[in-house]
């Protein structure tokens, strides 16, 4: 059988020319003949195909199989735009792949692309090359892709100098008038404000009733006074409710005077002389010098602690609010400023000192290598809680505050606290009883007072702000004396008198009548922390 067919050979030659023309992309018109019928004769019908220059087959296998990309002309304009955009971005990415970066900026941009694709190794290599070429390439990239607006807009004058005098100044025009320049002016603007009612839940319906909006100011002031006596912090937070309450809280001096002179948290509860003995018992009226009173024996360099030996016994007991009178001075122009800034002790919390220091340890194996020697981190806490009767509790322990502060009471002192006790309050087994007093004078907040006994000779006292504490020792023959200073920690205008700074710490031996000073190398200041279970304190 003769397998030679001229028609088939002619078709193969034309097909090869068509494939070659497509691969070259020359865009010439190709003529393709189609055999018809079993006889193998070629019909004269031809098909003309125009190939655009931009259409390039992706794979040679598509040409071998005779599969070509089909164009669907029934798509809308959006799909055509998306297809063209994707082809354009693909072409740009292909062009970038074959384009080697030359400058530092191109290396940096290529590194960012590799980082976005997840090729951290290539990205790091490109970053290094970019910074070798230019150390400031990151700033160049930022200026190119994220340019900052360097043109500063010059503010236009609301009232230019060449404008006529009749033109009003619009600099302070606002819906509510000019803004106040100080807090005092802002509070003064609330003078005529009233307590607003709640808006209606549905538009057009009547608003809900607000009985407090119709109460006279005298009754509201009395309510605020009782709130301040119960909790001064809640009274201060009432100023956030509305403008009317903010005005009353800030300007009602009668409330601040009652708090300042009261015994709840005011200066009627402050003690400027010893009020009790170290063990908490009352001082006898007929004998001021008791065995536990150390006022007659001064520690080294402290000569002002023995100034209360001859003070009458009537001044040793805390006065009532009605019996004290604190005059206003230029330092304390109002009772509000006096309560905030004058040194005083807080009773609704405790003062905590957290001490951390490093101590080298001993290695378990004899070796001269320093890297094998352990280092110990030592943490312990000092607690101080003060009471209104002039007593206090001092505790040194490694227990954290959450396990201590709720048990720091007089009832837990030395009761059922043996070494085998597992009670939660067993942490108080090492607590020490003590007493406290402030420096200065209650009625004269200055550095000098008249000597007792009716003489006019002035005797210098310590400045205000110092705190003296006397506590029991770990052994009955010892007594500790602590000297602290009241300070404020935190932002300006925040909480005051919430920090106690060390001034001195001594131990007194009753048997040998000797004083010994403790070093304060690792000790840190005390910071006040409120404890809600204390209430307003005792």
């Amino acid at each position: 059988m003769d397998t030679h067919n001229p028609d088939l050979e002619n078709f193969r030659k034309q097909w090869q020319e068509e494939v070659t023309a497509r691969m070259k992309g020359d865009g010439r018109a190709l003529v393709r003949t189609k055999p018809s019928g079993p006889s193998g004769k070629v019909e004269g019908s031809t098909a003309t195909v125009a190939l655009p220059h931009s259409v390039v087959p992706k794979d040679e296998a598509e040409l071998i199989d005779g599969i070509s990309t089909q164009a669907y002309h029934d798509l809308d304009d959006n799909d055509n735009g998306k297809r063209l955009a994707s082809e354009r971005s693909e072409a740009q990415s292909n062009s970038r792949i074959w384009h080697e970066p030359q400058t530092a900026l191109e290396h940096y941009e290529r590194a960012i692309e590799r980082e976005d694709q997840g090729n951290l190794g290539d990205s790091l290599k490109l970053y290094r090359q970019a910074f070798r070429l230019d150390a400031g390439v990151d700033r160049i990239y930022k200026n190119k892709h994220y340019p900052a607006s360097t043109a500063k807009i010059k503010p236009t004058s609301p009232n230019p100098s060449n404008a006529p005098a009749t033109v009003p100044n619009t600099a302070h025009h606002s819906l509510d008038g000019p803004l106040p320049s100080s807090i005092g002016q802002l509070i003064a603007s609330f003078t005529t404000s009233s307590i607003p009612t709640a808006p209606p839940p549905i538009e057009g319906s009547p608003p809900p009733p607000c009985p407090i909006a119709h109460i006279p100011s005298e009754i509201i002031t009395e309510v605020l006074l009782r709130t301040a006596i119960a909790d001064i912090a809640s009274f201060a937070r009432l100023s956030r409710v509305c403008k009317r309450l903010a005005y009353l809280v800030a300007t009602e001096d009668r409330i601040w005077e009652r708090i300042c002179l009261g015994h709840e948290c005011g200066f009627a509860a402050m003690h400027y002389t010893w009020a009790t003995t170290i063990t908490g018992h009352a001082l006898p009226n007929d004998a001021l010098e008791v065995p536990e009173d150390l006022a007659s024996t001064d520690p080294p360099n402290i000569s002002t602690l023995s100034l209360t030996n001859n003070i009458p016994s009537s001044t040793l007991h805390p006065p009532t609010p009605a019996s004290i009178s604190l005059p206003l001075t230029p330092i304390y122009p109002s009772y509000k400023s006096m309560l905030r800034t004058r040194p005083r002790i807080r009773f609704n919390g405790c003062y905590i000192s957290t001490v951390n220091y490093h101590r080298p340890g001993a290695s378990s194996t004899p070796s001269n290598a320093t890297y094998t020697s352990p280092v110990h981190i030592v943490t312990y806490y000092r607690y101080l809680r003060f009471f209104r009767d002039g007593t206090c509790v001092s505790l040194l322990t490694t227990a954290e505050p959450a396990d201590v502060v709720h048990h720091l009471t007089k009832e837990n002192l030395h009761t059922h606290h043996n070494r085998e006790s597992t009670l939660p309050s067993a942490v108080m087994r090492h607590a020490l009883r003590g007493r406290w007093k402030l420096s200065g004078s209650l009625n004269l907040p200055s550095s000098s007072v008249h000597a007792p006994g009716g003489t006019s000779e002035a005797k210098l006292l310590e400045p205000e702000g110092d705190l003296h504490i006397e506590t029991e020792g770990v052994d009955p023959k010892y007594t500790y004396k602590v000297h602290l200073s009241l300070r404020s920690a935190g932002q300006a205008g925040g909480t005051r008198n919430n920090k106690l700074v060390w001034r001195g710490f001594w131990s007194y031996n009753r048997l040998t009548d000797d004083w010994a000073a403790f070093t304060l190398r690792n000790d840190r200041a005390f910071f006040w922390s409120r404890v809600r279970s204390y209430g307003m304190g005792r």
Side-chain angles (χ1 to χ4, degrees):
M1 181 178 179
D2 189 7
T3 59
H4 179 71
N5 190 343
D7 296 333
L8 181 60
E9 291 294 336
N10 189 19
F11 174 76
R12 288 179 178 175
K13 186 180 297 185
Q14 292 179 0
W15 178 77
Q16 289 179 358
E17 292 177 358
E18 181 183 354
V19 171
T20 304
R22 287 191 178 186
M23 292 184 65
K24 290 182 178 180
D26 54 358
R28 293 176 300 177
L30 300 179
V31 179
R32 178 178 179 181
T33 62
K34 180 178 180 182
S36 62
S39 61
K41 295 181 180 180
V42 180
E43 297 180 355
S45 62
T46 59
T48 303
V49 180
L51 297 178
H53 291 278
S54 61
V55 178
V56 180
K58 295 182 180 179
D59 195 348
E60 187 179 357
E62 297 180 356
L63 299 178
I64 296 175
D65 296 338
I67 302 173
S68 61
T69 304
Q70 299 181 5
Y72 299 92
H73 301 284
D74 57 345
L75 297 177
D76 55 359
D77 296 340
N78 294 335
D79 293 338
N80 291 332
K82 294 179 181 177
R83 184 173 65 254
L84 293 175
S86 62
E87 292 177 357
R88 189 182 301 108
S89 61
E90 183 179 356
Q92 292 177 358
S93 62
N94 292 335
S95 63
R96 285 197 301 267
I97 291 175
W98 294 105
H99 174 66
E100 291 295 335
Q102 300 297 330
T103 64
L105 181 60
E106 293 178 355
H107 281 84
Y108 196 85
E109 292 174 344
R110 187 66 56 82
I112 293 178
E113 294 178 3
R114 291 292 186 269
E115 186 177 1
D116 294 338
Q117 296 172 1
N119 300 328
L120 299 181
D122 297 343
S123 175
L124 182 60
K125 186 183 299 183
L126 291 169
Y127 275 131
R128 289 176 177 173
Q129 293 176 1
F131 279 101
R132 288 194 187 102
L133 295 175
D134 189 355
V137 65
D138 55 337
R139 293 189 295 270
I140 299 175
Y141 177 84
K142 182 178 179 181
N143 295 332
K144 177 183 177 181
H145 295 277
Y146 306 99
S149 179
T150 57
K152 297 182 179 180
I153 301 176
K154 184 177 181 180
T156 59
S157 177
N159 191 12
S161 58
N162 57 357
T166 57
V167 176
N169 190 350
T170 60
H172 303 290
H173 284 188
S174 62
L175 297 178
D176 299 330
L179 296 177
S181 59
S182 63
I183 298 296
Q185 294 182 2
L186 178 63
I187 296 298
S189 65
F190 300 159
T191 305
T192 58
S193 300
S194 59
I195 299 178
T197 59
I202 302 175
E203 185 178 359
S205 62
C210 184
I212 194 174
H214 306 287
I215 297 178
S217 299
E218 293 77 7
I219 299 179
I220 295 179
T221 303
E222 187 65 24
V223 173
L224 295 179
L225 175 60
R226 295 182 181 272
T227 304
I229 295 174
D231 188 4
I232 182 66
S234 299
F235 166 72
R237 284 193 292 267
L238 285 175
S239 59
R240 304 178 182 178
V241 176
C242 63
K243 295 181 179 180
R244 181 59 181 171
L245 293 183
Y247 176 77
L248 293 176
V249 170
T251 61
E252 193 62 38
D253 200 55
R254 184 172 67 90
I255 299 178
W256 290 106
E257 181 181 3
R258 171 61 180 82
I259 300 172
C260 185
L261 303 182
H263 65 279
E264 294 82 9
C265 58
F267 292 97
M270 300 298 109
H271 299 277
Y272 297 89
T273 57
W274 300 119
T276 64
T277 62
I278 292 180
T279 56
H281 298 88
L283 291 174
N285 295 332
D286 54 348
L288 293 178
E289 295 185 3
V290 294
E292 294 172 326
D293 190 359
L294 298 181
S296 60
T297 308
D298 301 333
N301 300 328
I302 299 294
S303 60
T304 60
L305 300 178
S306 58
L307 300 176
T308 60
N309 294 338
N310 300 322
I311 296 180
S313 59
S314 58
T315 62
L316 297 176
H317 301 285
T320 60
S323 62
I324 67 173
S325 176
L326 297 179
L328 299 178
T329 62
I331 302 177
Y332 310 117
S334 65
Y335 288 104
K336 178 182 177 181
S337 62
M338 181 183 297
L339 184 68
R340 282 178 51 83
T341 59
R342 188 176 182 184
R344 60 185 177 90
I345 294 296
R346 298 176 179 269
F347 305 109
N348 55 349
C350 62
Y351 295 82
I352 304 175
S353 172
T354 304
V355 182
N356 291 289
Y357 68 92
H358 300 270
R359 179 175 61 85
S363 178
S364 59
T365 58
S367 176
N368 294 328
T370 57
Y371 59 85
T372 60
S373 301
V375 176
H376 301 286
I377 301 177
V378 182
T379 303
Y380 65 89
Y381 303 89
R382 291 184 181 271
Y383 300 89
L384 281 175
R385 184 184 177 184
F386 301 94
F387 301 94
R388 288 186 177 84
D389 59 356
T391 61
C392 64
V393 175
S394 174
L395 177 62
L396 172 64
T397 179
T398 57
E400 296 184 355
D403 302 326
V404 176
V405 294
H406 299 291
H407 308 288
L408 205 63
T409 60
K410 294 181 179 180
E411 291 77 13
N412 293 327
L413 285 171
H414 307 296
T415 55
H416 309 291
H417 297 152
N418 50 27
R419 294 181 179 273
E420 293 78 14
S421 177
T422 58
L423 295 174
S425 60
V427 70
M428 293 290 292
R429 68 166 62 97
H430 301 299
L432 303 176
R433 294 173 294 183
R435 59 180 180 176
W436 63 273
K437 72 171 183 177
L438 292 172
S439 62
S441 174
L442 175 63
N443 295 322
L444 294 176
S446 59
S447 59
S448 63
V449 297
H450 293 288
T455 62
S456 59
E457 180 182 359
K459 184 181 295 184
L460 294 178
L461 292 178
E462 292 178 289
E464 278 192 334
D466 287 350
L467 175 65
H468 300 282
I469 303 173
E470 292 181 355
T471 65
E472 300 174 317
V474 294
D475 190 270
K477 66 179 181 180
Y478 292 108
T479 301
Y480 297 150
K481 186 182 287 286
V482 181
H483 186 190
L484 303 170
S485 291
L486 282 162
R487 296 291 185 269
S488 298
Q491 299 180 354
T495 306
R496 305 292 183 91
N497 300 319
N498 58 347
K499 182 179 179 181
L500 296 177
V501 181
W502 286 93
R503 296 287 300 275
F505 190 13
W506 302 272
S507 173
Y508 175 68
N509 191 331
R510 295 171 177 272
L511 299 181
T512 60
D513 195 18
D514 293 332
W515 288 94
F518 293 105
T519 59
L520 303 175
R521 181 179 58 183
N522 298 320
D523 290 278
R524 298 293 182 267
F526 291 84
F527 292 91
W528 175 79
S529 178
R530 182 174 181 179
V531 183
R532 295 188 180 276
S533 61
Y534 294 173
M536 290 298 293
R538 299 173 51 184

